[in-house]
Amino acid sequence: MLLLGGTAEAMSLAQALEGDGRFAPVYSIAGVTREPRLPELPCRRGGFGGVEGLVAYLQAHGVELVVDATHPFAAGMSRNAGAAVRRTGTPLLVLRRPPWTAARADVWQSVASLEEASAALGTEPRRVFLTTGKTELGPFFAAPQHFYLIRSIEPPERLPPQGALVLARGPFAVAQERALLREHGIDTLVSKNAGGPANGAKLEAARSLGVRVVMVERPALPDGDAVVPDVAAALDWLAEHYRGARRTVLGV
Ligand code: NAP
């Protein structure tokens, strides 16, 4: 099994498979984070080299199942995995946590891209909490009239002219998020619709303070033999379909 990882649920699935002799999973990460969390399983790090590279990997390692447990916004990896399994006839299980949805009290605007999110901030100066990741600040340099509070695990290469940086790795508590929004006088939150409980606290905090949310919605899901929302459902699916499987590459 090839397990494509890089998310909390990929880690949980990998941990659940530790010591399970049925699958011989290999856990795969892109290797973009300097100190990634890794399970006690055989791991590999770094890209495969596009669809061709992944096809070659699947064939060379006799992979009998791919699990795509990557982040909902890792669209390139998911697209490549979908294409490679179609070419090799390998089954694909997609583990995707459900997206967040707006509650009645939310002031929530859905957009399709970071560029649209930047435009949606408008011309009037805003105080924006930006949680989209260190490599995705580009579109916001086009709107320098706003103040940006940027939170990321590792520092970005540069900050917008009116920018402040908070280096932190979640999960965060609602009270902590509320205090941060208040401290910086934030009136707008920009987030990707990652979903999951770990970072939902910022949305709850925004709701309680009447902070507007600009939500970048997800790219399309890859075609898989099954798409499951959590680790329990993934384990059920594996138990049902792969009683005797020997080698699965599970990518999260
Ligand atoms: P991406 O744009 O879909 O991937 C870019 C390239 O990185 C892929 O084409 C692939 O290279 C390589 N790659 C990605 N995930 C890989 C994996 N699990 N194992 C081996 N190679 C992988 O993805 P991204 O948005 O840069 O994200 C990179 C990783 O960080 C993903 O694994 C994702 O789960 C994790 N992550 C992403 C986000 C996010 O917001 N995008 C947030 C948290 C975690 P080749 O074409 O050479 O195979």
Side-chain angles (χ1 to χ4, degrees):
M1 171 194 294
L2 175 58
L3 176 54
L4 303 174
T7 56
E9 54 276 21
M11 266 300 284
S12 303
L13 179 57
Q15 284 163 347
L17 293 173
E18 283 167 16
D20 182 332
R22 291 173 300 170
F23 297 111
V26 173
Y27 186 83
S28 175
I29 54 162
V32 287
T33 309
R34 239 169 279 145
E35 289 176 27
R37 292 176 179 150
L38 292 172
E40 305 264 319
L41 286 176
C43 295
R44 64 168 301 288
R45 181 193 287 237
F48 296 93
V51 177
E52 295 302 326
L54 184 52
V55 166
Y57 181 97
L58 298 180
Q59 289 170 338
H61 294 82
V63 173
E64 292 178 352
L65 171 63
V66 177
V67 179
D68 176 0
T70 55
H71 191 270
F73 281 83
M77 186 68 252
S78 290
R79 213 172 25 246
N80 290 354
V85 299
R86 275 193 298 279
R87 287 255 295 274
T88 54
T90 314
L92 173 67
L93 172 64
V94 180
L95 169 54
R96 237 2 142 258
R97 56 177 106 134
W100 294 310
T101 52
R104 198 178 289 241
D106 286 336
V107 188
W108 171 308
Q109 180 177 0
S110 285
V111 294
S113 65
L114 292 161
E115 288 72 17
E116 274 188 31
S118 170
L121 295 175
T123 50
E124 289 301 308
R126 300 279 173 206
R127 296 190 64 84
V128 181
F129 184 27
L130 200 53
T131 61
T132 51
K134 66 167 181 165
T135 59
E136 302 192 283
L137 304 180
F140 300 95
F141 283 90
Q145 69 274 32
H146 309 300
F147 163 82
Y148 295 100
L149 175 64
I150 290 155
R151 181 165 67 198
S152 57
I153 297 173
E154 291 170 359
E157 270 174 23
R158 65 189 183 113
L159 290 177
Q162 302 183 68
L165 181 65
V166 182
L167 291 179
R169 193 197 285 257
F172 306 100
V174 178
Q176 208 181 350
E177 298 290 56
R178 204 181 289 126
L180 191 66
L181 295 177
R182 276 218 183 100
E183 184 192 338
H184 293 273
I186 297 300
D187 56 42
T188 309
L189 164 68
V190 177
S191 172
K192 294 193 290 188
N193 198 341
N199 287 314
K202 64 187 170 192
L203 294 174
E204 219 172 294
R207 185 175 306 139
S208 71
L209 295 175
V211 166
R212 170 189 173 217
V213 176
V214 176
M215 187 62 78
V216 183
E217 299 300 346
R218 297 172 169 197
L221 261 181
D223 284 337
D225 293 85
V227 180
V228 293
D230 55 34
V231 172
L235 291 170
D236 285 349
W237 190 89
L238 290 171
E240 198 175 321
H241 290 81
Y242 283 90
R243 260 159 245 236
R246 283 171 292 119
R247 300 174 67 79
T248 300
V249 182
L250 183 58
V252 187

